[in-house]
Amino acid sequence: MTSEAQRIEIEAERDVRLAVRTAVDAARSLGFDRTRSLMIGTAVSELARNIHVHACQGYISIETSRRGEAIGLRIVAQDDGPGIEDLDLALQDHYSTRRSLGIGLPGTKRLMDEFDISSEPGKGTCISVSKWK
Amino acid sequence: MEKKDTADLENRIPIHEVWDKVLMLPIYGIVDSKKGQDIMEAILQKVVATKSSVIILDILGVATVDSAVANHLIKITKATRLMGADCIISGISPAIAQTIVSLGIELGEVKTNATLKDALAAAFQLANLKIVAIGEG
């Protein structure tokens, strides 16, 4: 069960900033502590930056999610970019196609409690992550 | 034109000369690729202009340290080292420290301190300076 999704279109670097701020605010108002809110914000930063750098266009949606008694924050990053050829490789530490640190995706997985990725070359990528309180 | 660009950069990224050969730059807000590049440029120019041997980057005011921001910080540290200046990163809050560890960023040989106070003490030591209390107490 989910409610009140906020959707941020990612087209420019300022949209990355907006997505991070929105996620941190949403986490804080749900009652996540400072550290875990920062972890969520950092994960959103990685996801939004990936959209900006690799796909140019896409969106981040942020919503409260509930599972039984548990409450958490669910973030979906969807783009219609080039997609990822080899998901296993992309999820390995220190693998990068752009001379970055290559820890964005595996790091995001470590920052969050749940991580799902689906990608089709030429069609786009969808990543869904959640963190539970 | 080049002179105007330099002055513009100094206005956007003001770097303090806290002591002879010791520089300090507080970084605030979000570090995007443009800002990361500007910081690198401003620091290297200031290191040359002041013949500094130590520079402190205080990141207490940085909103998030994701892998791209960390990459900028690591590159800045490497570049200053190539120019013969040590770089210390201070203002690592407990939340930032835990996030960096979870994310899996390896800072390697980058010198870090929790507080600006600790970083200043380390910087003075690197610059062969000593702070001495005057008189008793």
Side-chain angles (χ1 to χ4, degrees):
Chain A
M1 199 177 91
T2 54
S3 61
E4 59 206 78
Q6 299 183 76
R7 181 170 153 151
I8 298 129
E9 302 293 329
I10 307 293
E11 286 164 19
E13 208 150 352
R14 65 171 182 279
D15 302 322
V16 177
R17 294 198 284 271
L18 177 64
V20 171
R21 244 193 335 260
T22 308
V24 172
D25 288 348
R28 291 296 273 168
S29 62
L30 260 187
F32 279 99
D33 67 18
R34 205 190 170 96
T35 301
R36 288 160 62 79
S37 299
L38 186 67
M39 287 178 175
I40 291 169
T42 306
V44 168
S45 187
E46 298 290 350
L47 295 174
R49 230 190 264 264
N50 270 350
I51 293 175
H52 176 56
V53 171
H54 295 284
C56 300
Q57 210 166 339
Y59 69 83
I60 295 276
S61 93
I62 299 160
E63 61 192 13
T64 308
S65 74
R66 290 182 179 84
R67 188 185 288 160
E69 297 272 291
I71 187 161
L73 207 59
R74 179 169 182 257
I75 289 128
V76 176
Q78 168 88 57
D79 70 58
D80 52 8
I84 300 169
E85 292 276 352
D86 189 333
L87 279 180
D88 289 338
L89 206 53
L91 286 167
Q92 266 176 30
D93 273 323
H94 311 300
Y95 173 77
S96 174
T97 55
R98 305 229 171 193
R99 300 177 64 197
S100 61
L101 294 180
I103 55 166
L105 280 185
T108 300
K109 196 174 174 179
R110 283 189 291 266
L111 286 170
M112 303 297 282
D113 295 330
E114 280 170 31
F115 180 98
D116 277 305
I117 182 166
S118 61
S119 187
E120 205 178 321
K123 291 258 173 80
T125 303
C126 181
I127 300 172
S128 163
V129 295
S130 300
K131 201 164 183 75
W132 300 97
K133 259 193 73 187
Chain B
M1 186 65 199
E2 199 170 289
K3 203 169 182 178
K4 184 182 163 288
D5 285 348
T6 306
D8 183 44
L9 192 63
E10 279 173 11
N11 286 332
R12 273 182 292 131
I13 317 283
I15 301 174
H16 304 279
E17 203 176 345
V18 288
W19 201 259
D20 292 342
K21 300 191 172 196
V22 180
L23 301 177
M24 200 274 282
L25 171 62
I27 306 175
Y28 293 98
I30 305 265
V31 182
D32 55 23
S33 52
K34 168 83 166 67
K35 194 158 158 189
Q37 191 57 45
D38 281 353
I39 290 170
M40 165 89 88
E41 195 70 42
I43 286 176
L44 297 183
Q45 282 178 17
K46 193 82 175 180
V47 164
V48 172
T50 59
K51 298 189 172 63
S52 290
S53 56
V54 192
I55 172 136
I56 301 168
L57 292 182
D58 190 81
I59 63 164
L60 191 63
V62 171
T64 48
V65 179
D66 66 2
S67 61
V69 173
N71 202 13
H72 283 305
L73 294 175
I74 291 167
K75 280 181 182 166
I76 290 166
T77 307
K78 281 182 181 165
T80 53
R81 193 177 296 149
L82 282 173
M83 298 187 64
D86 280 306
C87 191
I88 303 171
I89 295 174
S90 70
I92 314 249
S93 66
I96 292 269
Q98 289 177 72
T99 303
I100 285 176
V101 171
S102 286
L103 197 51
I105 295 167
E106 284 160 27
L107 286 175
E109 290 170 25
V110 178
K111 289 190 185 74
T112 59
N113 281 108
T115 65
L116 183 56
K117 184 181 168 184
D118 292 341
L120 265 176
F124 284 141
Q125 204 163 25
L126 283 168
N128 288 323
L129 295 163
K130 193 176 172 183
I131 299 172
V132 181
I134 304 169
E136 298 288 315

